[in-house]
Amino acid sequence: MIKFFRRIRQQLLKENNLSKYLLYAIGEIVLVVIGILIALQINNWNQENKESLVEKQR
């Protein structure tokens, strides 16, 4: 997967098409941010489940 993205990035740089490269870079950043937000949401969900289990045991 990393080779795929690297190939796209190198091809866009070879073509000297800066606008397409910037659009690609912004898209890649957005995907990373979305992944981080999903991970945080899952972490919060797991933490809430643990807290509810502790409350039920009391």
Side-chain angles (χ1 to χ4, degrees), residues 5-51:
F5 288 120
R6 184 180 302 145
R7 190 177 317 128
I8 291 174
R9 193 176 324 124
Q10 289 174 350
Q11 185 178 12
L12 288 173
L13 286 173
K14 283 181 187 177
E15 294 173 0
N16 279 338
N17 200 341
L18 185 62
S19 62
K20 282 187 179 181
Y21 179 75
L22 288 176
L23 185 63
Y24 167 80
I26 291 171
E28 197 168 341
I29 291 169
V30 168
L31 285 176
V32 169
V33 169
I34 289 172
I36 290 170
L37 291 174
I38 290 171
L40 286 172
Q41 185 65 30
I42 291 171
N43 187 32
N44 289 339
W45 179 72
N46 283 335
Q47 191 65 31
E48 289 174 6
N49 282 344
K50 287 179 185 177
E51 290 173 0

